[in-house]
Amino acid sequence: MHISKKAQQCGLSPMRKFHPLAVEAVKNGKKIYHLNIGQPDIPTPRAFFDAVRAFASPVLAYAASPGVPALLDAVRGYYARLGVQLDEDDVLITTGGSEALMMLMLSILDEGDEVIVPEPFYPNYATFIYAAGGVIRPVPTRPEEGYRYADRAKFEALINDRTRALLITTPGNPTGVILTPEEMAMLKDVAKAHNLYLISDEVYREFTYGGEGLRTMASFDDAAENVVIVDSVSKRFSACGARVGALITRNRALSQQCMKFCQGRLSVATIDQVGAAALYGIDSSYFEETRQEYKRRRDTVVRKLREIPGVICEEPHGAFYLMAALPIDDADRFQEFLLRDFSDHGETVMFAPGASFYATPGKGRNEIRIAYILNCRDLERSIELLGLGIEAYNRR
Amino acid sequence: MHISKKAQQCGLSPMRKFHPLAVEAVKNGKKIYHLNIGQPDIPTPRAFFDAVRAFASPVLAYAASPGVPALLDAVRGYYARLGVQLDEDDVLITTGGSEALMMLMLSILDEGDEVIVPEPFYPNYATFIYAAGGVIRPVPTRPEEGYRYADRAKFEALINDRTRALLITTPGNPTGVILTPEEMAMLKDVAKAHNLYLISDEVYREFTYGGEGLRTMASFDDAAENVVIVDSVSKRFSACGARVGALITRNRALSQQCMKFCQGRLSVATIDQVGAAALYGIDSSYFEETRQEYKRRRDTVVRKLREIPGVICEEPHGAFYLMAALPIDDADRFQEFLLRDFSDHGETVMFAPGASFYATPGKGRNEIRIAYILNCRDLERSIELLGLGIEAYNRR
């Protein structure tokens, strides 16, 4: 039976292969600290659940394809507070940021078309790009430089007549890199100069730890045709399971193409949209508290990592991830070792091996991504275990 | 800015073009009877809302990519009651049947690969097939034959080395055609003989009016590699806004490819899955009541349609749609006329013009799809308006 080339090119989640080993470890009585997933432990604001419980329509009907009016208004209001005025037609509500990315790629990529993406990048970008027949052209970075990528020459060196878009994440997953306003303007200029889409995944916008404030590529009025924002309530409100995101662009030709896919899948889940609309009304103190909590976690992880000899780790400025290079040969084998052959007082630790965040074969093999989504005490212990694990692994 | 060829090939909803005219008509005081959409008016069983309200986790977290265990179990239990034993890995929960179709097409179609689809068909099939770079090869039918399509020779005449799948809907949207067990077996044999996927969209399974019972292509144990079921709670439980569907196949190579796309989009909305799982526990009297109600509606529409001279309409056996050929030149122009230039006691009617249900250019121009999703009194009046409208249109 035929399987498409594009599906074959996509990969199963790299986390999946360690799942049986993790199950086995737990069965053997080991406690595992999970730094491998981006699921926040912060409670979802009650406003979501209150709105869902108050939903009173007897028929759970399809919502309108571009989204329910209350949520479209809430998103536009949120952007207005960032100084960005959006028309109703500039916003399409999507099933998570994921669907926004899938619709985008299907709308702009023909087979062999290229997207320039700084690496390491969120691995599912590859799925969306490959699904549309596209090709990833990675912008190289280095752990020693904190994975910063905003170098005009590096981007322009990769542009050719098949290039369709630049795809960046700021604040970044997996690196925590935040673009400065100057870097944002530079990338916008590159996109304009070469007539490319600038797809800016800004789902971690609120997660900044140096007073950077809330930035968006949508602020550039002179690049309205180029800029596309991928947004989501998942991280902003710790509501990952709502699967409510948005595709935001003033490029009407593009949004009309994406609308075809919105209509094709009919609508986004109705009550989740009702809940999400309510989230946009919560008090801003929520963000400040969340930010402080993640900042403490970030500081804890970085401090503890720097106590481990040979680890290369620049302080990340945003999101809730960091990449680190470890003094080991292979993070996959190291993870296997930690689950199978290592424990300290019956405990071990999981992270995301780095290679899956790279498109370039062989890169990231000694790197890992850490999601700092545990409380500070557990994070301290996790990184202690990581250090003990490295010692044991290199001694074996 | 570049737009992909596949996106350009997709169309905006054919309903959309009449929306401004409908808004205008309402503004002018006209009442519109809507037979143009497939949104049932049947209340969603309370079990859904009760389960959603009882959701007590403080964090609305991502669900597992293939679905929450309670829902996977509920779907497997439902199929077990149909006599079909499914493994857990045979079921992937999707964001509506729509996402199941999209994942399927991305998994099996390379550019230029063909899918054989009886026409008229659900128009969004085209979006999913085109999004994957595929081509539709339509199986022709005739209103005079009640749009029946299960003719082995017609299917085999369309098979070539680029054919990847047969895609059928039973009970059918837009025609209401239900395959007999013999026809199902015949299509299964064709798929087996030519090594093709047999994609069976069975989301209207419960909507049968001749005592046909609940049928599924999944019953054919000898075609486990070929058969893929598209399923959904949308129509079964009048829960369209939940966006909960399923992709069901025993073909492990295929389900593993689809799993890549499941993982790529992370998960289906969590609380909707919790609500959907509860729906599978409701009393079966719900289906009997719903079936009786739709049967009355079907009978009403067919009886009234047959009073209109020149209308060709065979009695549909399932779903809640019918196609009819009208004694008019062009259903698009007729719909425009009904909205703009016609009314009877201030009332008019909307339906779905037939051409958009065909891939063959020019076909279906004098046909319409009627969704019988209003109460019988409103349906009587709607078809009366249709008849008066035809008279007035042909007199103009």
Side-chain angles (χ1 to χ4, degrees):
Chain A
M1 306 288 293
H2 189 78
I3 297 290
S4 72
K5 287 192 287 286
K6 48 186 172 278
Q8 290 179 54
Q9 205 185 352
C10 296
L12 280 167
S13 163
M15 312 309 141
R16 205 175 145 79
K17 61 181 161 187
F18 295 109
H19 182 67
L21 281 181
V23 169
E24 190 66 22
V26 169
K27 201 179 288 173
N28 294 335
K30 269 188 211 178
K31 172 172 175 179
I32 302 175
Y33 290 87
H34 286 275
L35 307 181
N36 53 323
I37 45 167
Q39 170 60 57
D41 60 343
I42 306 287
T44 312
R46 281 196 47 185
F48 182 94
F49 299 111
D50 290 346
V52 163
R53 290 196 186 102
F55 184 85
S57 167
V59 182
L60 184 60
Y62 291 119
S65 294
V68 303
L71 180 55
L72 288 167
D73 287 351
V75 170
R76 291 168 63 202
Y78 165 89
Y79 276 87
R81 293 193 290 280
L82 303 186
V84 177
Q85 305 304 322
L86 297 173
D87 287 346
E88 192 171 322
D89 290 348
D90 297 340
V91 183
L92 295 172
I93 301 301
T94 55
T95 302
S98 304
E99 192 189 48
L101 284 158
M102 179 67 107
M103 288 181 176
L104 266 173
M105 297 308 165
L106 290 174
S107 296
I108 68 171
L109 298 181
D110 283 307
E111 218 163 283
D113 283 349
E114 299 184 1
V115 181
I116 297 176
V117 192
E119 69 176 359
F121 54 80
Y122 176 54
N124 288 324
Y125 288 165
T127 300
F128 305 129
I129 292 170
Y130 296 158
V135 174
I136 295 175
R137 295 295 302 262
V139 180
T141 64
R142 299 179 61 231
E144 294 80 1
E145 295 170 356
Y147 301 97
R148 299 204 69 85
Y149 57 83
D151 175 335
R152 182 169 189 139
K154 279 191 187 175
F155 276 83
E156 293 201 316
L158 296 172
I159 294 173
N160 61 48
D161 62 352
R162 298 305 301 270
T163 310
R164 300 294 175 237
L166 318 178
L167 167 57
I168 59 101
T169 328
T170 181
N173 172 12
T175 62
V177 168
I178 302 180
L179 291 177
T180 66
E182 296 70 29
E183 290 170 334
M184 290 171 73
M186 179 279 288
L187 288 173
K188 178 264 297 180
D189 290 339
V190 171
K192 274 187 74 172
H194 299 273
N195 207 28
L196 302 174
Y197 296 106
L198 174 57
I199 303 170
S200 189
D201 180 345
E202 302 178 355
V203 301
Y204 296 98
R205 186 180 293 121
E206 276 73 11
F207 299 84
T208 64
Y209 310 119
E212 288 87 351
L214 306 184
R215 297 172 186 161
T216 174
M217 290 283 191
S219 304
F220 295 115
D221 288 332
D222 63 332
E225 293 294 300
N226 307 87
V227 170
V228 189
I229 307 297
V230 173
D231 206 344
S232 169
V233 303
S234 293
K235 315 293 175 172
R236 179 170 301 142
F237 300 108
S238 193
C240 299
R243 312 312 298 125
V244 173
L247 188 163
I248 298 169
T249 182
R250 294 186 173 109
N251 181 323
R252 208 45 57 86
L254 176 63
S255 63
Q256 199 166 46
Q257 299 301 324
C258 294
M259 176 66 102
K260 295 176 179 179
F261 296 114
C262 287
Q263 292 183 345
R265 55 64 161 147
L266 303 169
S267 66
V268 174
T270 305
I271 54 175
D272 292 282
Q273 292 192 68
V274 169
L279 286 173
Y280 279 94
I282 65 169
D283 195 275
S284 61
S285 62
Y286 169 82
F287 300 109
E288 193 46 38
E289 284 165 29
T290 304
R291 185 179 294 119
Q292 290 307 323
E293 173 60 24
Y294 278 113
K295 186 170 189 294
R296 277 191 295 275
R297 295 174 177 191
R298 192 259 330 243
D299 294 344
T300 301
V301 171
V302 171
R303 173 173 52 77
K304 291 293 291 181
L305 275 175
R306 288 183 170 164
E307 292 174 5
I308 306 175
V311 168
I312 302 169
C313 164
E314 291 299 306
E315 183 179 72
H317 295 131
F320 39 72
Y321 307 99
L322 62 77
M323 288 287 282
L326 305 185
I328 54 161
D329 57 349
D330 183 307
D332 268 22
R333 259 185 273 164
F334 177 48
Q335 179 65 81
E336 204 177 314
F337 170 83
L338 286 179
L339 287 169
R340 207 197 306 256
D341 307 314
F342 170 85
S343 74
D344 180 70
H345 294 85
E347 298 182 334
T348 191
V349 62
M350 283 183 83
F351 47 76
S356 58
F357 297 87
Y358 287 85
T360 306
K363 283 201 77 174
R365 273 185 62 184
N366 70 327
E367 297 172 37
I368 64 171
R369 185 197 73 171
I370 288 172
Y372 42 96
I373 41 81
L374 303 179
N375 64 56
C376 286
R377 206 186 50 199
D378 286 351
L379 284 173
E380 288 226 17
R381 175 61 178 155
S382 301
I383 307 299
E384 184 181 27
L385 287 164
L386 184 72
L388 293 168
I390 291 172
E391 264 182 57
Y393 178 76
N394 286 332
R395 220 175 31 228
R396 86 199 180 285
Chain B
M1 307 289 293
H2 188 78
I3 296 290
S4 71
K5 286 192 288 285
K6 50 186 171 278
Q8 291 180 53
Q9 204 185 351
C10 296
L12 280 167
S13 163
M15 312 308 140
R16 205 177 145 78
K17 60 181 161 187
F18 296 108
H19 183 67
L21 281 180
V23 169
E24 190 66 21
V26 170
K27 201 179 289 172
N28 295 336
K30 270 188 213 176
K31 172 172 174 178
I32 301 175
Y33 290 87
H34 286 275
L35 306 181
N36 53 324
I37 47 166
Q39 170 61 56
D41 59 343
I42 305 287
T44 311
R46 282 196 47 184
F48 182 94
F49 300 111
D50 289 347
V52 163
R53 289 195 186 102
F55 184 85
S57 167
V59 182
L60 184 60
Y62 291 118
S65 293
V68 304
L71 180 55
L72 289 167
D73 288 349
V75 170
R76 290 170 62 204
Y78 165 87
Y79 276 89
R81 292 193 292 280
L82 303 186
V84 178
Q85 304 304 323
L86 297 172
D87 289 345
E88 191 170 325
D89 291 348
D90 297 339
V91 184
L92 295 172
I93 302 301
T94 55
T95 303
S98 305
E99 193 189 47
L101 284 158
M102 179 68 107
M103 287 180 176
L104 266 173
M105 298 308 166
L106 290 174
S107 295
I108 67 171
L109 299 180
D110 282 309
E111 218 163 283
D113 283 349
E114 301 183 359
V115 182
I116 296 177
V117 193
E119 68 177 359
F121 54 79
Y122 175 55
N124 288 325
Y125 288 164
T127 300
F128 305 129
I129 292 169
Y130 295 158
V135 174
I136 294 175
R137 295 295 301 265
V139 180
T141 63
R142 299 178 63 230
E144 294 80 1
E145 296 170 357
Y147 301 98
R148 298 205 70 86
Y149 55 85
D151 174 336
R152 182 167 189 142
K154 278 191 188 176
F155 277 83
E156 293 201 316
L158 296 172
I159 295 174
N160 62 46
D161 62 351
R162 297 307 299 272
T163 310
R164 301 294 175 236
L166 318 179
L167 168 56
I168 58 101
T169 328
T170 182
N173 172 12
T175 63
V177 168
I178 301 180
L179 291 177
T180 66
E182 296 70 28
E183 290 171 333
M184 291 171 72
M186 180 278 289
L187 287 174
K188 178 264 298 179
D189 289 339
V190 172
K192 274 187 74 174
H194 298 274
N195 208 27
L196 302 174
Y197 295 107
L198 174 56
I199 304 171
S200 188
D201 180 344
E202 302 177 356
V203 302
Y204 296 98
R205 186 180 293 122
E206 277 73 10
F207 299 85
T208 63
Y209 310 119
E212 289 86 352
L214 306 184
R215 297 174 186 160
T216 173
M217 290 282 193
S219 304
F220 296 114
D221 288 333
D222 63 331
E225 293 295 299
N226 307 87
V227 170
V228 189
I229 308 296
V230 173
D231 206 343
S232 169
V233 303
S234 293
K235 315 294 175 171
R236 179 169 301 144
F237 301 108
S238 194
C240 300
R243 312 311 298 125
V244 172
L247 188 163
I248 298 169
T249 183
R250 294 185 172 109
N251 181 323
R252 209 44 58 85
L254 176 63
S255 62
Q256 199 165 46
Q257 298 301 324
C258 293
M259 176 66 103
K260 294 176 178 177
F261 296 113
C262 286
Q263 292 183 345
R265 55 60 161 150
L266 302 169
S267 66
V268 175
T270 304
I271 54 174
D272 292 282
Q273 292 192 71
V274 169
L279 286 173
Y280 278 95
I282 65 168
D283 194 274
S284 61
S285 62
Y286 169 82
F287 299 110
E288 194 45 39
E289 285 164 29
T290 304
R291 187 179 294 120
Q292 290 309 324
E293 172 61 23
Y294 277 113
K295 186 170 188 293
R296 277 192 295 275
R297 294 175 178 191
R298 192 260 329 243
D299 294 343
T300 302
V301 171
V302 171
R303 172 172 54 76
K304 291 292 291 179
L305 275 175
R306 288 182 171 166
E307 292 174 5
I308 306 175
V311 167
I312 302 170
C313 164
E314 292 299 307
E315 184 179 70
H317 295 132
F320 39 72
Y321 308 100
L322 62 77
M323 287 287 283
L326 306 185
I328 54 161
D329 57 348
D330 184 307
D332 268 21
R333 260 186 272 162
F334 177 48
Q335 179 66 82
E336 205 178 311
F337 171 82
L338 287 178
L339 288 169
R340 207 200 303 258
D341 306 315
F342 170 85
S343 74
D344 179 71
H345 294 86
E347 298 182 334
T348 191
V349 61
M350 282 183 84
F351 48 74
S356 58
F357 297 87
Y358 287 85
T360 305
K363 284 202 75 174
R365 274 184 63 185
N366 69 327
E367 297 171 37
I368 64 170
R369 187 197 70 172
I370 288 172
Y372 41 96
I373 42 79
L374 303 179
N375 64 57
C376 287
R377 207 186 49 201
D378 285 352
L379 283 173
E380 288 226 16
R381 175 63 178 151
S382 301
I383 306 301
E384 183 180 27
L385 287 165
L386 186 72
L388 294 169
I390 290 171
E391 265 181 57
Y393 178 75
N394 285 332
R395 224 179 23 232
R396 82 194 183 288

